Amino acid sequence: VVPGQINVLMAYSERYLGSLDKLVSTCVPVVACADTHNTPKLLEAGCHVIVQNALQATSDLFASRAHTLPMFPQQNLKRRLRSRRTTIERIVFMGDGHQIDPALRTDAFHAALRAMGVTFDIVDKSRIREWKDYSKADLVVAIRPKGTAVECKPPSNLINAWVAGVPALLGPEPAYQRLRLEDSDFIEVNSGEEVLSAVRRLKDNPLEYAALLSRCDERAVEFSSEATAQQWADVLFGIAAAGVQEDEEE
């Protein structure tokens, strides 16, 4: 920790950083925190907290110190090949295999997709190096297991899909819904059956699929690495400016 400066921390640990009161009196701590357990405590202590989901702020009382910012898109991401046009042959899930609804793993689900000429590729942590490659993906699917605390989850699946130029079929999560501006931003699905229905509809209606592709390009501009860096800079410089002003007033 650098005294008298803004310090951006990935998480707070009393073991390594000491008490929150001492930390706040020493510097301006900004905690990029995905840990909902610590968020209220950090805000109450006077820390600025960067959250991935607005629901993590928990209270309007600390709204000025809770900053909702997206994480950066997948590094070195390979966009979907434009030569695939409106082809729908390969659906992907990119992420921790424990974060996918078991209904999407069943033989019956995969067989129903194969009957439509579609494969479903679960690219889990054992293939983490492939998480950047959307070049041959036609749809992204992400539905978490029932009972998952989705209110603390980030919208990374959606942002990566937009930047990769791949339409997304996503479960009903607040972080996705908060970013939605139009119906064509993504298709919300609640079950394996709804995924199958959406895939069937898109294969039968290439113009609808083409509209989803175009919308990905539009939204990707907002969440490029450059745009995301600017959002972070605006918040951090804003915190710095406020700190200088407070010092002058004292």
Side-chain angles (χ1 to χ4, degrees), residues 173-187:
E173 299 189 17
Y176 303 146
Q177 294 164 345
R178 178 177 174 271
L179 295 182
R180 187 175 211 158
L181 301 178
E182 296 183 6
D183 289 345
S184 57
D185 281 337
F186 63 91
I187 295 176

Side-chain angles (χ1 to χ4, degrees), residues 9-224:
L9 314 171
M10 286 307 298
Y12 166 73
S13 168
E14 186 170 359
R15 177 182 176 184
Y16 296 109
L17 298 172
S19 71
L20 277 173
D21 290 342
K22 180 180 179 182
L23 183 66
V24 172
S25 66
T26 303
C27 67
V28 182
V30 179
V31 183
C33 181
D35 179 6
T36 55
H37 176 71
N38 270 330
T39 299
K41 180 168 64 175
L42 291 163
L43 290 169
E44 289 172 11
C47 297
H48 288 265
V49 181
I50 294 172
V51 297
Q52 300 178 81
N53 186 320
L55 294 179
Q56 287 178 264
T58 70
S59 172
D60 292 338
L61 183 62
F62 307 113
S64 64
R65 283 188 275 105
H67 313 278
T68 304
L69 290 175
M71 298 294 104
F72 283 79
Q74 185 71 39
Q75 191 174 16
N76 299 320
L77 187 149
K78 294 181 181 179
R79 284 178 54 85
R80 181 179 187 264
L81 296 170
R82 294 194 183 276
S83 59
R84 295 184 72 80
R85 298 182 183 274
T86 56
T87 298
I88 301 178
E89 294 178 345
R90 181 171 178 257
I91 300 173
V92 299
F93 166 82
M94 303 280 197
D96 187 340
H98 293 99
Q99 292 294 326
I100 187 170
D101 189 328
L104 306 186
R105 290 182 174 274
T106 65
D107 292 341
F109 179 76
H110 285 257
L113 286 174
R114 285 196 300 271
M116 290 187 274
V118 178
T119 61
F120 181 34
D121 194 0
I122 299 175
V123 187
D124 61 17
K125 280 188 173 179
S126 68
R127 299 163 60 191
I128 195 168
R129 292 186 178 181
E130 298 176 48
W131 283 5
K132 64 183 180 182
D133 190 358
Y134 290 77
S135 60
K136 296 181 180 178
D138 302 313
L139 289 169
V140 168
V141 169
I143 306 177
R144 299 185 197 275
K146 290 177 174 56
T148 301
V150 296
E151 65 274 4
C152 67
K153 298 298 182 182
S156 298
N157 285 318
L158 178 57
I159 290 172
N160 284 333
W162 280 337
V163 175
V166 183
L169 311 180
L170 303 173
E173 299 189 17
Y176 303 146
Q177 294 164 345
R178 178 177 174 271
L179 295 182
R180 187 175 211 158
L181 301 178
E182 296 183 6
D183 289 345
S184 57
D185 281 337
F186 63 91
I187 295 176
E188 187 168 287
V189 287
N190 291 276
S191 65
E193 285 300 320
E194 290 189 10
V195 171
L196 294 174
S197 177
V199 172
R200 190 176 297 110
R201 188 180 83 234
L202 292 174
K203 284 182 71 70
D204 290 342
N205 297 276
L207 289 178
E208 181 181 358
Y209 181 71
L212 293 171
L213 290 173
S214 295
R215 188 59 178 161
C216 286
D217 289 342
E218 293 171 8
R219 297 305 305 271
V221 175
E222 303 171 49
F223 297 96
S224 66

